[in-house]
Amino acid sequence: MYCGGKTAWFELATEGRVHSWTVCYFAAQEFLKEVPFTLVLVEFEGVDTLFLSRLIGVERAEIKSA
């Protein structure tokens, strides 16, 4: 984002692989009412970075990482 190069936008695949996940039991003031919540880092094939997102609608026991 600092190189000044032109951005090439593209659509991500609708499926990825969980690289890592964590449960947050403490957060900033505006999110304290929502703890605990789960954050995931997702890998997408052909993409050279990880996508950080909050995981909603999945129980922790259902989260799988290979």
Side-chain angles (χ1 to χ4, degrees), residues 57-64:
V58 178
E59 296 297 321
R60 274 175 261 162
E62 297 176 47
I63 303 170
K64 299 177 185 175

Side-chain angles (χ1 to χ4, degrees), residues 12-54:
L12 284 175
T14 56
E15 292 187 18
R17 184 173 82 87
V18 173
H19 176 81
S20 179
W21 60 277
T22 189
V23 178
C24 298
Y25 291 96
F26 186 79
Q29 183 70 33
E30 60 191 74
F31 299 107
L32 278 177
K33 294 179 184 175
E34 301 177 36
V35 295
F37 56 86
T38 304
L39 296 176
V40 292
L41 285 172
V42 181
E43 292 180 57
F44 292 97
E45 191 171 327
V47 179
D48 193 25
T49 191
L50 299 171
F51 181 78
L52 175 64
S53 183
R54 184 167 168 190

